[in-house]
Amino acid sequence: MTHAMTPDGTRIAYQLQGQGAPLVLLAGQANNHHWWDAVRADFHPARSTLTLDYRGTGDSDKPDTPYSTELLAQDVIAVLDELGIDRADVYGTSMGGRVAQQLAARHPHRVGALVLGCTSPGGPHSVDRGNDVRQALAQPRPGAARQALLELMYTPRWLASHPGPHHTLGDPGMPAHARRHHLAASNRHNAWDLLPNISAPTLVVHGSDDLLNPTANAPLLADRIPDARLHLVPNGRHAYFEEFRIHASPLVLDFLATAHES
């Protein structure tokens, strides 16, 4: 297992696969690198992929101290430094998209091109999920909240033919304190004032039917980030990148190739 050391002494596990220029893949809240298992090979014909286990997940350290999306972005920098990567393209989804916003805005020289998937700017300018979604995810009956999350991630038709395991439902080995810190980091995220500072070519992607992180957040990001492009994946829910990988992965690769040609 390979690790990078952060300035505060936290060991961050990372995984580098494939050949070519690196594409950093950032997972959702309370998830480790397995979030990308189903699709990372889609990028390997053209790129290598670099994932990491956020602090609190996987094989990384799990300190019981406050986390933030800015801190998680600094952890990504530590991994890039460990590998001697001066600049990389970044694709972040869900909370990973929030981390990617911090990364691109605060460390612009480290990000070549940026893809923000199923994410939001956070703070008062973002569109929050509805109370019905919150209630569904808070059901006390065993298995009910998990089933609700599955149906927010994927369409019923896809779930009928893909019984799992589903690696987007959270890291089962996370301690409770790390889950709380991840939730707090995501809830406190507010990059609204930072977004105009993003200079990397940016693509905003979102499922058209996403209720977990409402689709209305996508145009907010695209309008706020200079010259950003927007693409909605028809019928996509929160895990559009997996269910609609045949559409989404080539879309990202085409954008990255075009971004570097311009």
Side-chain angles (χ1 to χ4, degrees):
M1 182 58 58
T2 49
H3 290 84
M5 187 71 72
T6 68
D8 68 359
T10 301
R11 297 182 313 138
I12 303 297
Y14 64 88
Q15 307 80 28
L16 181 63
Q17 297 181 14
Q19 302 293 324
L23 173 62
V24 179
L25 301 173
L26 298 176
Q29 175 189 314
N31 282 268
N32 57 36
H33 73 278
H34 290 299
W35 171 278
W36 292 103
D37 280 1
V39 301
R40 72 183 300 167
D42 294 349
F43 304 107
H44 289 163
R47 312 295 296 269
S48 63
T49 55
L50 174 60
T51 54
L52 56 90
D53 293 339
Y54 292 124
R55 60 175 64 208
T57 74
D59 292 308
S60 292
D61 289 344
K62 303 168 180 64
D64 190 1
T65 54
Y67 303 174
S68 67
T69 53
E70 181 181 357
L71 177 63
L72 297 176
Q74 292 171 359
D75 291 347
V76 178
I77 294 294
V79 171
L80 294 177
D81 287 347
E82 174 70 19
L83 291 169
I85 298 173
D86 293 329
R87 191 176 179 89
D89 295 336
V90 177
Y91 182 11
T93 47
S94 199
M95 190 186 77
R98 297 182 173 204
V99 175
Q101 293 165 41
Q102 297 279 5
L103 192 63
R106 297 182 183 275
H107 307 274
H109 59 293
R110 306 302 295 269
V111 177
L114 178 66
V115 183
L116 301 175
C118 55
T119 191
S120 80
H125 294 282
S126 64
V127 178
D128 207 355
R129 65 190 60 156
N131 286 332
D132 55 339
V133 173
R134 291 181 180 278
Q135 291 170 4
L137 294 174
Q139 295 179 79
R141 183 165 52 87
R146 178 183 174 86
Q147 184 61 35
L149 180 58
L150 268 175
E151 293 173 3
L152 289 164
M153 300 293 278
Y154 309 99
T155 67
R157 180 177 179 179
W158 193 86
L159 286 172
S161 57
H162 295 79
H166 304 286
H167 294 299
T168 54
L169 301 186
D171 180 348
M174 284 184 74
H177 72 260
R179 290 187 178 277
R180 291 194 300 270
H181 292 318
H182 268 243
L183 178 61
S186 190
N187 285 345
R188 288 197 303 263
H189 175 79
N190 182 1
W192 188 255
D193 291 338
L194 295 174
L195 295 177
N197 298 330
I198 293 178
S199 57
T202 302
L203 172 66
V204 177
V205 191
H206 218 106
S208 67
D209 297 349
D210 191 348
L211 298 178
L212 186 62
N213 190 336
T215 305
N217 284 297
L220 292 177
L221 286 168
D223 289 344
R224 190 72 172 162
I225 298 171
D227 301 317
R229 307 181 199 177
L230 172 63
H231 186 93
L232 299 183
V233 177
N235 305 311
R237 297 190 179 186
H238 198 57
Y240 75 87
F241 54 91
E242 181 179 356
E243 180 172 356
F244 296 94
R245 60 186 291 188
I246 294 176
H247 177 88
S249 295
L251 171 74
V252 170
L253 281 173
D254 288 348
F255 167 75
L256 294 177
T258 302
H260 289 293
E261 289 173 357
S262 59

